[in-house]
Every structure is written in structure tokens, then in C-alpha cells.
Amino acid sequence: MKSNSGARVVAKVEPTLAHRISTKLYSKPKLRLQLLLSAPVTWLGLVYIAALLALLVTAFFTVDSFTGNLTPGFSLENFASLFTNSLYSTVTFRTIGIALAVTVVDVLLALPIAFYMAKVASPRARGVLVISILMPLWASYLVKAYAWRSLLSNVGIFAWLLRPIGLDTPGYSLLGAGITLGYLWLPYVILPIYASLEKVPSNLLEASSDLGAKTWPTLRRIVFPLILPGIVAGSIFSFSLTLGDYITINIVGGANQMLGNLVYSNVGVANNLPMAAAIALVPVLIMFGYLSAVRRTGALDNL
Amino acid sequence: MRITATVKLLAIGSAAMLALSGCASSNNGGDMLQSLGDNEKTVSLLGWPGYAEDGSTDPAYDWVTPFEKESGCNVTFKPYGTSDEAITLFKTGDYDAIAASGDATLRLIAAGDVQPLNTALIPNYAGVYEFLKNRDFNTVDGKTYGVPHGYGANLLMYNTDVVKPAPTSWSVVFDGASAYKGKVTAYDSPIYIADAALYLMKHNTDLGITNPYALDETQLAAAVTLLKAQKENVGEYWSDYLKSIQSFTTGDSVVGTTWQVIKNYTPAEAHVEAILPSEGATGWSDSWMISSKAKSPNCAYAWLNYIDSPKANAAATEYFGEAPATPDACQYGSADFCATYNAGDTEFEKQIWYWTTPIEKCLDGRTDVKCTDYAAWTQAWLEIKG
Amino acid sequence: MATSTPAISLKGLSKSFGKIAAVKDLNLDIGAGEFFSMLGPSGSGKTTVLRMIAGFELPTAGTVELNGEDVTQLAPFDRDVNTVFQDYALFGHMSVFENVEYGLRVRKISKAERKRKVMEALDTVRLADLADRRPSQLSGGQRQRIALARAIVVEPKVLLLDEPLGALDLKLREQMQIELKQLQRQLAITFVFVTHDQEEALTLSDRIAVFNNGKIEQLGTPQDLYERPKSEFVAGFVGTSNIFTEKESTALFGKKGRFALRPEKVTVSEKKKTGSISGIIAEVIYLGSFTRLIIDVSGIHIKATVPTDVFHRDQTVQINMSAADLVAL
């Protein structure tokens, strides 16, 4: 500033519009918060909640079976067939079964890996491990599923490894789909368990050992209660992702179908959006039940 | 994933509602054009992948650009994956014309989504194989709704190393399928029920099936039973032809229904053979149809005429792997093009039951019973897959 | 100590972390019932030694013996020692009672017996009324006492304390020092106490080992260390000392060598006395019960402790130092 009475010059400068708005907002913290949140709340309200509501409403519509045109109205027909047709209960229980199996296997695999990463590995090795666990997440889901399609194939690595010892590749089957899903969601299970294990101070393990507890009692009484929220958080991922899957089962599941396939078939093949909506509410309800059950463990803070 | 699915559902839902409000009034698709006006500037097409190539996939395959130059209509093309997806997309009203298979055409006609055609305005229609004209999948009440694009059969493919003796009948995937348990493949669509019906038509004459697309309750139930038994031996169903090629190449599938194009693209070392079994086969003849709400009807007419011109028809059908709609196309494709796809072979053609949408009014002319419609087939298909 | 088997005997103990040697060839006997302190700055190796005794670290070389038995390769849960951790390491998901009960529980002691012993231990640390609380609901001093109760309830022969008072404020620390001392007398077991606070070590210990750079710099009673430091490091670390270089000693006392002199051995007066030399007060540091002066004697800074605050900066004073009080280093 050229002037030698700088302070007075500054004082005379007309405040810019932005400056005045800032000043105004500074004195009104509530308004500030409203402005900040309006965009995301609108998004959440219109796009997210409204989409779910539309799903619920659509489930009561019907479809003209020949022309495929949607008939709005209120009909419980879709829900009735959901309960009376054995197809839907069979597929629902199969889907829940796969989701549970994938979750249990993933948690059992994730626990030792996460424990090694958080408590045993050197900081350098830990970094490498975290990156190598995150790395598959950068690859497309489809590419990984198709990679498993060739691994599980008649001439794939499973057949090559297992045939000499009298076994065979699981092939394109429920087991094949379970293995592939387990692979796909494993990082989502390892990471929250790793994060919760990392938060367990090492000196708690030392204290337990110091007080006379061998490895297993330490794991059971100290480590497990502290990482339970992380395990539940990981299981939410693997369970819900499996529940909604329809692509993997299509690629490596052979002739089997899951709930997602029924939804897809009803939209794509049958052009029956209301039925698809009614089926889609099944996993929504299952997850709602599961989430309310685990809310009390504090797992939701670990997501 | 759940979120994308939800958004997709919502999008489709609102699209369907728009379609509903748009087409509630007309149910016959309106009157056909009596004369053509000047071409509009653009035309929007919907079809199977590879039906309208403009050189962007492979510069060697381009039959859209010559059309654009000739007609002044700029083409936008949207490919679809299944007949059902095609119907959902077409109902948005965004497309002037569609290339639809027989399992979709009747549904579009009945919903009033397409308009009757004045074939006099399509000079190249005269050159089309007579056996493709006036069929129940492109003509209703004497009105022509679609002009043929090309046709093909759903053949039986098998691995010559594994499947012995060489099959001559579909029984290898039905009654005899247990010999290849876990290695049998089938087309993943409700329309595949017709394959079972065709088999029953030949082997279980008591059922009285005369048209695999006209099944009453009992006949459908028999087909479903046959398919449920088949499912025990099915390794996987296919709807993506690349997936089928891969399964036959690795040996995960050794016998099942196929298209000529799949046979052509399966590597020679996979040792596969594709035949037309003694029972005949289901097949498809695709039709180009014009939307009843077309914004560019003149350009759409121009495209329909162009795609049946010998040179363009040869390019399009050979690229996809099917027989052309017109015998004159044979001069333009590669030397054995028409022989490979049995084009014009009337003996071959007679054995094909082209995909047709099953409707309540029996297509075989029976009036004493109601036939099962496509919705019933869809439900049956879901139950077969279980 | 003397004749009986030492409670802890370390022989040729070494520990390296990669290329860094944390403990170098350490030999040390700690007697039964002793209050033994390991004093040193951070990184001097004292905590590493404690962790090797507890079994949390395996030595690179050498052996650890407890009551004559070689436990070098035993896991912590097989050693008859218990540790009070620097930040207590209480189990946050358990109540105070369950924390203290833990060591008894994993030893499969009956429920009634457990309850009796836990309440006894909590009584010892005067926290029986807080048994149902969670550790997070307690103050620092209370957590400290829970950690103590948890360690003593299993009746170890040796209690290892790793800077147990480090996180407490001064007032509480002084109170806890007294309690620790009383507790050790009451239980009559060996305490091995790690600290960097020399005053704390001097106050509590029977014997102190001063650690520097992975080695014991000097081992002895608090008095030994204070009165007769053997090295400049000990003289500097334990209490405050004037350290005179060879040149300075020659100038001040006419003696060759390096010497240490405690500030309280320097007498300061305003008037000239026999053998006094004059200097100028460079700094006056008020320390409550006494005052520290830094006096400039022709370029040499000498620290002196005086009881009152009668002196002021820049004042010229006379100081007396006796060569007999010098400790050769």
C-alpha cells in the first residue's frame, strides 16, 4: 500500500458483497448451518428417501401382463404371491444361507489377517498389507467375477490343483459363487476388523498375559469383546452385499439364482416392476432387522 | 449396489409411467402413411448389438455412414441385450424404429407402440424372401408391421470329443441329458420353453402340441416338467453369447442350444459342431418396425428400405451371423456367406419355428381353450430355474 | 540382600532392536523385599530391562533368573511377576471389580475365593466402594490404584512398576509415593520401579541403578549416588552439581582433574572471608524453600544454594568452596 496512513485507508474501503455476506452469516450460526446442510439434505430427502418410498409404493402396483404397461393402484397381489409361491421362499432362504456362509467364512479369514496386520507386522509390512488388501477394490467387480469364472472353469487352476488328489473344481455352482463372493467382500470385512484391532492398545494384551492369561483366554476375554463392533461392521458389509448380488451368481453360479436375479428377471424379463419392487423389499427388511439387532453393539459407529 | 438398483428401478418406473400416459389413447398404432415427405434430419434406432454399425466398433464394418450420406438422416443407435430390455427401452418413446425379434413384436403391436407399414413405400421389400413375409410375428389382421432384417435358427451345439455318438436329436439335452450332467447349457429366457414344447410336439404326440408357441395349461405344465428335469443336468444358462463361447471353449459346457455365430466364433481346437436336429428348431426372424410416436417417420421409412437393400443387408447380417432377408444379398457377402447360414434353403427354413410371443388367443387356431401368455411363461421360467 | 538367593538376577543381558543396542551386557542382582529403582533419561534402556524381566521382550543375549530359576524363555503368563503399566492398561470393557478379578479368574480360582481376594485388594488401595464402576469413570489416581490392586491380588513375588506415577500431577504424585512405600513394606515383596524422576527415586528406593545408554552408570544407595557420584552423568542426573573441567579446577583449586561439587557446599556471603573469592551474581532463581544463585567467577559459572533471597542480580559476593567437598569424577 502506497499511502503512509495505511490503517485509515483500509478502514475506508467499501466492503465487498462477499465480505458483507460473510459478516452477516458470522453473526447467524443457525442460518449458516441451514445453508451448509440444505444441498445434502435435499439430496438425501429427494433422491435417497424418495427412491425407497417409490420402491415401496410401486410394490402395490400391477402390470398389464400382455402389453407390459404399468397400472397404478393398490393391490396386495405381489405380496400375496411372495408368500404363497414356494419359489420366493426357496430363493430367499438360499440367498440368506449364502449370505450367512459368506459372512462366517469371511470373518474367520479376516480375523487372523487383521490381527497379523494390526499387532504383529512391522509398520512397513503393515503398509504393504493394507495396500495389497485395498488393491483388489480398485479393479472392477466384473473383471474379478470373470477372473473367478476362468479360475473355476473346467480347465482352470482349481481343476488343475484338485484333480491330482481326486477332487474336482467346484465349477459354476453355489459353492463357486460362495467362494467368489467371499473373495469379493473380504476386504470390506478385514478393514473394519483391522481398524478396531488397531484401536486395542498392545499393553492390554501384555497386561492380560502378565496376569496369567494364555493366548486363548486373552483373545476371548480381552480382544474379542473389544473388536466385536468391528466384526459386526464387517459382517454388515459382506451380508448385505451378498444379499443384493445378482451378477456374480450369474457369472459363476451355474444354473442357480438368488433374490437379486428374481428382481432382475422381473424387471428385465417379465417387465413386472411392481413384483420386482415387492421382492426387493425382502432384503431391505432382512437388513433392517439385522441392523436394528446389531445397533446395540455399537457396530454402527465402526462403519 | 442396492442404491444403484433402486435408482434404476425408479428410473424404469418413471419411464414406464411416462409411457403409460403417452400411449393410453391409441391401441392400434394409428393409420399407416400414404406417402412420404421430406426426410427429417435425424433418426433414432434400437436394435440387437451389431445391427447398425457405423465403423466405430471396427472401421471395416460401416453401413450406417453410406445411409446417412444418401438420406441426410443422422443415425443414433442404441443396442439392447434381451428382447425384454428392448421393450422397456422402446416404451420410453425415444426411438423411431426398432429391430425386434418375434418374441417381442406382438407385444409391441398389441400395446400400440408400433405403426402399420405401407410396404409400397419400401421398394426393397419386394426383394425379401417370400417365406419371411406375412408371418404371425410381423403381420396382424393383414397389416404388416415389420420388414425382415435376417433370420437364424437355435441350433444344437456339442463337443465332438465328449458327446458320442454324434447327436441328431434334441433328446441329448432332454431325456438323455443325464449323460452329460452339469455340462448341459440352455438359453436363459422364457422363450426357451418353446424348445421343450417343440421336443414334446415330436416325441409326445398325445399332448397335441401343433405350435410350440401355442400351449394350453396342460401343455405348458408338461414343458415345465421337462425343463425342470433338464435343470438337474444344466451347468449354466446363457443369454450373453460371449459367455456361451467361453463355456464351450473351456469344456464347462459340452452340449446345448446355440446360434450359428457362436459356433463360428468358438475356436477350432474346442472341437464343437452345430447341427439342426431332426425335430427342427426354434429360431428367430427379426423385424424392423416404426414407432407409432416416431418423430422422424420419413427417415425411419428410408432406413427400413435401406436395410433391406442387398448390399446393406449382406453387411449387417453377415456381421451379426445370420441369414440375410433377401437372396440378392448373397452376391455381396463373403463367398460362402449364404451357404454358412443356409440362406434361402427352404428345407432348412421349413424346420424353423420362429420366435413368436405367446398370447391368450391360441396361435395354432384353437378356439376351445385359452393358451398361456408370455407372463405365464415368464413365471414358469422363474420357477424352472428355482 | 547378601547371602540369600536374589529375587531377580540378570546375567549378561543384552537387547538390540535392529541395529540399535538398547541394553548392553547387563549384570544385576535385586534382593528379595528390596525397593529397587531403575533411574535414567528416556531411551536409556531401563524400561527395556523391566520388559525383559516381565517377559514382554526376549533378550538378544543373556539370562533372566527369578529366585534362581532361569525364566528367559518363559512367556509372561508363566512368570511369577506382575506389572503396573505406565498408562495403567485397564480393561475398559470391564468393571473395576472384573479388572482386579481377571488374574484370579484365568487361574480358575473359585468364585467365593475370588470375591474375597478382590475386595481385600481393593481395601488395600482403599477403593472397595468403587468396585462396580468402569475405569473410564475414575480419576487418574484412582485408576493408578486399581492397576496396583490388579497386580497385587495374584500375590506376585516381584512387582514391576513402569513409571507408574508419570501421568499424575505433582500433589497426587507425592501422595502416591507415600502410599507405594507403605504398600511395599506391608506386602514385603520386591518392587522394581522404573522412573526418570531422580527425586522420586531418591525418596523411595533402597537401591538405585542409574541407566545411561543401555548400561548401568552407577549402582548404589540413594546416599551413595548423591554424595559420591562416580561419573559426570550421575552427578548431573542425580541432584544438581557444579561440574568443573580440568582447566577450571586448576584455576579455582589448583588441583588437576575433573570434579563435581554440590551447590549446597558453596557458601556465599557479602563480606570477604578467609580463602574466599569474589564473583558477580548472574542469575537468581527462586525455588520456594531455597534460592539458587548462578555466580560468575571470572568467566566460570558456579551454582550455589542459599536459604534466603537476600541476594540480587549483579551483586558482587564472596564465595567459599572447600577442596574436601570435591568429588573426583
Side-chain angles (χ1 to χ4, degrees), chain A residues 48 51-52 54-55 61 65-70 72 85 87-88 91 94 141 146 149-150 153-155 172 240 244-246 250-251 254-257 262 264-271 273 276 283-284 287, chain B residues 1-3 6 8-10 12-13 16-17 20 23 82 84-85 87-88 91 106-107 110-111 183 188 190 231 234-237 240 243 246-247 250-252 357-359 373-375 378-379 382-383 385-386:
Chain A
Y48 194 74
L52 266 180
L55 184 71
F61 290 3
S65 64
F66 188 63
T67 62
N69 290 333
L70 207 61
N85 192 329
L87 166 73
Y88 295 109
V91 176
R94 179 187 302 144
Y141 166 94
Y146 272 107
R149 185 171 163 82
S150 60
S153 91
N154 196 36
V155 292
Y172 306 144
S240 66
D245 185 82
Y246 69 100
N250 212 11
I251 295 172
N256 298 294
Q257 53 183 357
L262 291 185
Y264 181 81
S265 297
N266 269 295
V267 177
V269 182
N271 192 35
L273 190 68
V284 171
M287 275 323 288
Chain B
M1 252 181 99
R2 164 106 12 79
I3 296 170
T6 312
K8 193 175 154 194
L9 281 175
L10 185 75
I12 296 171
M17 275 185 250
L20 175 76
C23 71
T82 65
D84 306 293
E85 185 188 346
I87 288 179
T88 311
K91 278 180 179 297
L106 285 190
R107 282 188 272 167
K183 306 270 186 186
D188 189 1
K231 201 235 165 194
V234 169
E236 64 178 2
Y237 295 96
D240 170 0
K243 186 173 150 186
Q246 198 214 9
S247 293
T250 57
D252 286 293
T357 317
I359 50 175
D373 65 3
Y374 191 71
T378 306
Q379 192 57 39
L382 287 176
E383 279 165 30
K385 288 177 76 189

